[in-house]
Amino acid sequence: MSSKEATEKETITSKPGAEAKSMAASSSGGMTNDRKKELKRLVLRYFQQLTQGCGKPNCENADCASHPGFQRLNKKEALQRAMVLASKKNKPKFCTICTKPAKVEKSSKENGAGKENGAENGSKREAVVVKEPVIEPLTFATFQKLIDEAEGGTQGGSDKKPDYTKAIRMIGKIFADDTALSCSFPSGKELKATEQDSGIEMKNVTAFFTVVEKVAALQEVLNGAIGRLCQQLLDPMKNKPDAPLYTLRKYLILLENPSFLDPEFHPVFRKLCEIITKLPEAQKDILVNWMSKYTAKRMEELIGRIQQYITVRWYTGRQVDDLQYGTTVLGLLYRANEPWRPHEVHHYGEEKSRGGMLFSLRRMAHRDAKERENKSEGDVKTTTKVIISSKGDRHTPLVDPSMFNNDAVNAELSLKADYKRWYEGSKSSFCFCKNPFILDASSKRDILHIDARHQMSEHFRQAMFQRLTFGPIGSSPYLVLMVRRDNLIRDAIIQLQNAKLENMREDEEEENNMYFKKPLKIKFKGEEGVDEGGVKKEFFQLVVAQLFNPKYGMFTYDKESHICWFNKNSVSSDEEFELIGIVLGLAIYNGVILDLRFPMFVYKKLMGYDATMKDLQEVDPEIAKGFEKLLRFDGDVENTYCRTFSVEEEAFGMTRTVELKKDGSKVPLTIENREEYVDLYSKYLLVDSIKRQFTAFKRGFMKVCGGPALKLFRPEELHRLICGSEDLDFEALEKKTQYDGGYNKDTPVIKNLWKVLGRFSLEQKKKFLMFCTGSDRAPINGLGDLSFTISKNGPDSERLPTSHTCFNHLLLPEYATEEKLERSLIVAVQNCKGFGLL
């Protein structure tokens, strides 16, 4: 094995991104160990200078906390500033006193905090492991009393210094004994810990750390004790699978320590994360249950603390273990943020043999074929149900799931390398693809494309063996569809079926669907031109507009909510609903944004999520309001509503009765069974009534996008991937725009253009985007992710602006005045329907 390969096994390599060039220059994957240590040393020294200062009354260093005009920073802000200073080529000088070892560092070394042999070097009295809970647990009231006693003698102008000896002794005793710590901060007079509730008064834990943080002596003792305790807990004998439930409480207490924001204590935090990572799965599940009871503020603070650790470790070392332990603990919080939905580790192709990768796709296809034979076509996910919000459980995330994305990782991670680790690695190996919550939607989109290319390369390798046996068979590198405008849908269905036959080999028993992953080319019969992207965009627009037209009968449209939903009475064929699914999948692989009006539940259903009452409110607001009134009604439900467990529907002039359960028409609705009634009725509306239509739709979508990479997405990310973002940030577009033909950002007509666009209404901005790009929405990461070019199209004239939608290219004459530019642009964007401009 080469030294380079050996290094890749130990560290995660990456390619610096444009958004982190300065830091990447100092922290690339090829950095030597000495350079890593030097970078870490500089970050720590700048951090101390920004937080502690040098002590000089009139320090002239603007990057020192002792400077008269220095604006105080919290620890998070100071760390970010320290990383920027350390990454500069011309590094700012240190103050004289600040270059000396900080007092807290010396104390930490003396106490053994953050060192591997910390338990040996520390005080024997404080490091004693008490086998029985002989130490009285800590409560905030007791601790505050000791603080008040220590500071009592300093009031009234006395020069006497506070004596914190008793408080220091208590901290040393409690945090040296994991049993005593685990029993501390009870929410009541007695310790009561269950699998659902830790019994910890978290506000008292926060108050304790806040008081300690204000007194340097207390903080030094506390951090030293925590360092020794974590070193002890690394012993496997300390964490037994059958340990009492209450012993897990100490981890929630320790995670609240705000000192972990300080890079000086990251080694201790790493140990804590390692201990939690190595807990049995059943114990980690209990921690998730407890964390799910956090407030949103507490959840945000803890996420920020862990993200800070991951970011610093990413820039200063990128050791796999460092990243793995922090990411695992962050994953527990991710599960706690949405405890009602199933969470699983995303392993790639668990049935794949490491030695038989060549034919793995063939085996997967045959396995899927057998599964389809054993299941009815409508059996997509029969367990879908509506979760009734009135039952008291939380069914909305505490914090925005995007908070779990790490900007540093997404900016510089080599997605190809991470995908390779995911594909080839074992279940125990670490990669970010197994922890997709840390990746943003753009990274997941790129991984989806990498996976498609990988699957196609595997398919072509298999084809080589077939050619050796049966001779060469021509295979186009593109998926080409030849369609007529006046018979678009039927031609598209036939062409896709023909493509399937053309791409199936004689030795295959089942279609492999690899041809869907080829780049799409569209040709309209009787029309000349080469599809460089614009014709393809028009094809998608025409197909979507036709299939979603209410007159076509496949979908219903709610004028109030502007939502399209599957028509349960549709007589359209399964092939047409399957085509919609294929169109969505092809749009993803070909980078085309679609104007769809599906509710979010469609994407949740594609990803296997259950529904909530919020989903029903989006699909059918009126029925959802009625259900909410029913669940709140305090009167005689049976005689007031006069309903049974059945539904009457009219279709094509006929009325039919659908029973929600066996003999449902004989079961009256009562106050006792109303929640069951809402469950069953909602399930009928969202699942059973559209089973045929949705099954065909999902089958088409999975033909194109099905696979491990799709499981990385959240429903809202899948929605943005298909439909783009409605957040139109034209300032971000201006920064990323490129110019050609003699224009630059300072050309007068360009300056006038951005002034005009800044005055445009939202509707006008959408029309401008449609005129230039063929879509009125931004890419998944916003307009800053759009490749947009403006070129000169001659001198001042009466010509209107034109565009190449294939290339997101605006051709703009050099208009003499701002008024003329605005007038010409408005005329152009309001008359851009069709593919006739360019």
Side-chain angles (χ1 to χ4, degrees):
M1 178 183 296
S2 67
S3 61
K4 182 179 180 180
E5 292 173 339
T7 303
E8 288 181 350
K9 286 184 175 288
E10 295 298 325
T11 61
I12 292 184
T13 60
S14 68
K15 182 178 181 180
E19 299 177 7
K21 287 182 179 179
S22 60
M23 186 62 70
S26 302
S27 58
S28 64
M31 185 189 298
T32 64
N33 289 333
D34 291 341
R35 184 70 186 90
K36 293 175 184 176
K37 291 179 181 178
E38 174 64 13
L39 179 61
K40 182 177 180 181
R41 184 184 68 83
L42 290 173
V43 171
L44 291 176
R45 289 177 64 182
Y46 279 121
F47 178 81
Q48 292 167 3
Q49 181 172 294
L50 292 166
T51 55
Q52 300 174 18
C54 64
K56 296 179 181 179
N58 297 308
C59 178
E60 297 180 357
N61 188 347
D63 292 310
C64 178
S66 298
H67 186 276
F70 185 82
Q71 185 175 359
R72 294 293 174 182
L73 304 174
N74 58 38
K75 288 185 176 181
K76 183 176 181 180
E77 294 169 339
L79 178 57
Q80 292 173 342
R81 178 61 181 164
M83 293 171 66
V84 171
L85 295 175
S87 67
K88 289 184 176 181
K89 291 184 178 180
N90 298 322
K91 295 178 175 52
K93 294 181 179 180
F94 293 102
C95 294
T96 304
I97 297 179
C98 287
T99 59
K100 297 179 180 180
K103 184 177 180 180
V104 63
E105 182 178 354
K106 179 179 178 182
S107 175
S108 298
K109 290 181 179 178
E110 291 174 351
N111 292 331
K115 300 294 182 183
E116 294 296 325
N117 59 350
E120 297 176 4
N121 294 339
S123 168
K124 292 183 179 180
R125 179 178 60 82
E126 291 184 355
V128 170
V129 178
V130 182
K131 296 182 179 180
E132 298 180 1
V134 297
I135 300 177
E136 182 179 354
L138 178 64
T139 64
F140 178 68
T142 303
F143 182 73
Q144 185 63 54
K145 184 177 180 181
L146 295 179
I147 298 297
D148 292 341
E149 291 178 0
E151 297 176 347
T154 64
Q155 297 178 356
S158 173
D159 294 334
K160 184 179 179 181
K161 294 183 179 181
D163 183 5
Y164 294 107
T165 303
K166 292 183 180 179
I168 289 174
R169 288 176 179 173
M170 173 170 281
I171 290 173
K173 288 181 180 180
I174 295 297
F175 284 86
D177 185 277
D178 65 308
T179 302
L181 179 59
S182 296
C183 296
S184 297
F185 303 107
S187 56
K189 293 182 178 181
E190 297 181 358
L191 173 63
K192 294 181 180 179
T194 67
E195 291 189 357
Q196 300 300 322
D197 188 0
S198 67
I200 300 175
E201 190 63 66
M202 295 304 298
K203 64 179 182 181
N204 286 345
V205 177
T206 301
F208 166 77
F209 281 112
T210 300
V211 172
V212 170
E213 195 174 19
K214 294 177 181 178
V215 183
L218 297 179
Q219 191 172 16
E220 290 179 17
V221 173
L222 175 64
N223 290 327
I226 290 177
R228 293 188 293 274
L229 177 63
C230 288
Q231 182 62 40
Q232 295 171 12
L233 292 175
L234 281 174
D235 183 354
M237 298 302 294
K238 293 288 184 180
N239 295 299
K240 299 180 180 179
D242 57 349
L245 186 65
Y246 74 88
T247 60
L248 298 176
R249 300 170 85 250
K250 59 178 172 283
Y251 300 119
L252 266 63
I253 296 172
L254 292 172
L255 285 171
E256 291 297 310
N257 185 6
S259 293
F260 288 143
L261 277 172
D262 188 341
E264 179 71 23
F265 299 104
H266 278 180
V268 179
F269 188 64
R270 177 197 183 279
K271 293 177 184 178
L272 177 58
C273 292
E274 180 181 357
I275 295 165
I276 295 175
T277 297
K278 293 180 178 179
L279 289 174
E281 290 301 320
Q283 293 184 0
K284 284 190 278 192
D285 290 342
I286 293 172
L287 289 179
V288 170
N289 290 341
W290 292 353
M291 291 172 173
S292 68
K293 305 301 190 298
Y294 281 174
T295 62
K297 181 180 179 181
R298 188 175 305 282
M299 179 73 78
E300 288 179 2
E301 291 177 349
L302 190 49
I303 291 171
R305 200 169 297 149
I306 299 174
Q307 291 282 33
Q308 188 94 316
Y309 167 79
I310 293 174
T311 299
V312 172
R313 304 311 292 180
W314 174 262
Y315 282 136
T316 59
R318 304 190 187 181
Q319 293 297 318
V320 173
D321 287 346
D322 287 356
L323 297 168
Q324 178 180 4
Y325 298 142
T327 302
T328 299
V329 177
L330 186 64
L332 298 182
L333 288 173
Y334 180 73
R335 291 167 55 191
N337 193 44
E338 298 175 290
W340 66 89
R341 55 169 286 246
H343 297 271
E344 59 182 11
V345 178
H346 300 274
H347 298 293
Y348 192 107
E350 294 183 0
E351 76 293 330
K352 174 174 61 66
S353 168
R354 291 294 300 274
M357 292 169 53
L358 186 61
F359 296 102
S360 61
L361 295 175
R362 176 80 57 81
R363 290 197 300 270
M364 291 168 63
H366 288 173
R367 181 200 62 188
D368 294 341
K370 293 297 182 183
E371 289 180 355
R372 285 197 294 270
E373 291 175 1
N374 296 331
K375 293 183 179 182
S376 64
E377 284 191 351
D379 191 16
V380 176
K381 187 176 185 295
T382 58
T383 58
T384 301
K385 63 179 181 296
V386 171
I387 304 173
I388 304 303
S389 57
S390 62
K391 291 181 179 178
D393 296 329
R394 175 172 62 86
H395 297 113
T396 55
L398 275 174
V399 299
D400 190 333
S402 64
M403 286 193 67
F404 293 90
N405 301 156
N406 186 282
D407 293 339
V409 173
N410 282 286
E412 297 195 10
L413 175 65
S414 172
L415 295 176
K416 289 183 179 179
D418 198 70
Y419 172 83
K420 185 177 180 181
R421 285 189 292 271
W422 184 38
Y423 180 79
E424 297 181 351
S426 62
K427 287 187 178 181
S428 60
S429 62
F430 174 77
C431 64
F432 287 110
C433 285
K434 290 182 182 178
N435 304 275
F437 54 84
I438 212 164
L439 301 174
D440 60 26
S442 179
S443 294
K444 294 175 184 178
R445 173 198 60 195
D446 294 342
I447 290 172
L448 187 69
H449 290 176
I450 292 171
D451 185 51
R453 290 194 294 270
H454 171 75
Q455 291 184 42
M456 287 192 66
S457 67
E458 288 292 307
H459 173 64
F460 290 144
R461 289 174 62 191
Q462 294 176 30
M464 290 298 296
F465 286 91
Q466 192 272 342
R467 289 191 179 98
L468 291 174
T469 304
F470 298 99
I473 297 177
S475 178
S476 171
Y478 299 100
L479 173 60
V480 182
L481 301 183
M482 178 81 72
V483 295
R484 294 170 292 177
R485 289 183 180 272
D486 58 355
N487 200 25
L488 187 66
I489 303 303
R490 182 52 51 190
D491 281 357
I493 292 174
I494 294 174
Q495 288 282 303
L496 289 171
Q497 290 175 340
N498 290 341
K500 175 182 71 175
L501 296 175
E502 292 172 2
N503 284 271
M504 283 182 63
R505 301 197 307 273
E506 295 181 8
D507 63 332
E508 284 186 319
E509 299 177 8
E510 181 68 23
E511 60 181 289
N512 53 53
N513 298 324
M514 284 297 106
Y515 59 95
F516 283 127
K517 295 175 174 34
K518 297 179 180 180
L520 179 65
K521 294 286 187 181
I522 299 295
K523 184 169 181 59
F524 287 106
K525 289 185 177 180
E527 299 181 18
E528 296 184 2
V530 178
D531 185 6
E532 295 293 344
V535 180
K536 177 171 55 184
K537 290 179 181 179
E538 186 189 17
F539 167 76
F540 280 110
Q541 292 170 3
L542 294 174
V543 169
V544 168
Q546 188 167 333
L547 291 178
F548 281 84
N549 190 330
K551 295 180 180 179
Y552 204 75
M554 293 180 66
F555 299 93
T556 60
Y557 179 74
D558 189 293
K559 294 182 179 180
E560 180 180 345
S561 63
H562 306 291
I563 290 296
C564 286
W565 185 244
F566 295 88
N567 184 357
K568 60 178 177 289
N569 298 317
S570 174
V571 295
S572 298
S573 66
D574 288 357
E575 287 79 7
E576 290 172 302
F577 281 102
E578 187 174 319
L579 176 61
I580 282 288
I582 291 174
V583 166
L584 263 65
L586 291 176
I588 289 176
Y589 278 118
N590 289 273
V592 177
I593 296 174
L594 302 179
D595 183 18
L596 297 183
R597 302 295 175 180
F598 275 147
M600 185 60 67
F601 180 55
V602 169
Y603 306 99
K604 292 175 67 174
K605 198 168 165 60
L606 281 173
M607 302 301 296
Y609 284 49
D610 286 329
T612 64
M613 183 62 77
K614 183 179 179 180
D615 297 311
L616 183 62
Q617 291 170 347
E618 193 175 12
V619 173
D620 198 323
E622 289 301 319
I623 288 185
K625 289 179 183 178
F627 284 165
E628 289 177 340
K629 290 181 181 178
L630 169 62
L631 294 172
R632 293 195 304 264
F633 188 68
D634 294 330
D636 185 349
V637 172
E638 183 175 358
N639 292 319
T640 301
Y641 282 86
C642 300
R643 297 287 183 91
T644 64
F645 277 63
S646 61
V647 180
E648 289 190 354
E649 294 182 337
E650 291 188 5
F652 306 111
M654 300 178 61
T655 302
R656 68 187 184 103
T657 300
V658 178
E659 294 190 335
L660 301 177
K661 59 189 296 187
K662 187 176 181 180
D663 297 326
S665 58
K666 300 177 183 178
V667 180
L669 170 64
T670 65
I671 195 170
E672 290 81 12
N673 63 19
R674 59 182 173 180
E675 287 189 352
E676 180 190 10
Y677 175 81
V678 171
D679 271 337
L680 294 175
Y681 202 143
S682 301
K683 183 173 180 293
Y684 171 73
L685 291 175
L686 297 175
V687 182
D688 298 336
S689 64
I690 59 164
K691 196 171 188 178
R692 177 185 69 85
Q693 295 88 332
F694 187 83
T695 299
F697 165 76
K698 182 175 182 178
R699 183 169 59 246
F701 183 78
M702 291 302 175
K703 278 184 177 181
V704 186
C705 293
L710 181 66
K711 297 179 182 179
L712 303 181
F713 288 85
R714 292 179 55 85
E716 60 269 23
E717 292 172 334
L718 185 61
H719 170 258
R720 294 210 318 272
L721 183 64
I722 296 172
C723 301
S725 171
E726 295 188 14
D727 182 18
L728 303 183
D729 184 358
F730 269 64
E731 291 184 2
L733 178 63
E734 182 179 359
K735 293 177 182 178
K736 292 297 293 289
T737 297
Q738 297 180 337
Y739 303 97
D740 194 12
Y743 281 161
N744 59 59
K745 64 178 182 179
D746 296 320
T747 305
V749 68
I750 296 299
K751 289 184 176 182
N752 290 337
L753 173 66
W754 293 114
K755 288 180 183 179
V756 170
L757 292 175
R759 296 195 298 267
F760 269 16
S761 65
L762 178 61
E763 193 61 32
Q764 287 176 314
K765 289 179 178 179
K766 287 184 175 182
K767 289 182 178 180
F768 174 78
L769 283 178
M770 176 65 74
F771 173 73
C772 297
T773 69
S775 172
D776 64 356
R777 300 192 180 194
I780 191 169
N781 274 358
L783 290 178
D785 200 32
L786 180 68
S787 176
F788 184 55
T789 303
I790 301 177
S791 293
K792 184 176 180 180
N793 192 24
D796 182 26
S797 67
E798 298 302 319
R799 295 183 61 186
L800 296 176
T802 53
S803 65
H804 291 296
T805 57
C806 310
F807 308 107
N808 304 328
H809 195 165
L810 174 64
L811 303 175
L812 186 69
E814 193 170 8
Y815 295 112
T817 65
E818 182 179 332
E819 292 74 17
K820 186 175 183 179
L821 166 64
E822 182 173 10
R823 184 173 61 254
S824 300
L825 188 62
I826 290 176
V827 173
V829 300
Q830 289 181 343
N831 297 274
C832 66
K833 288 291 183 181
F835 199 67
L837 289 176
L838 270 181

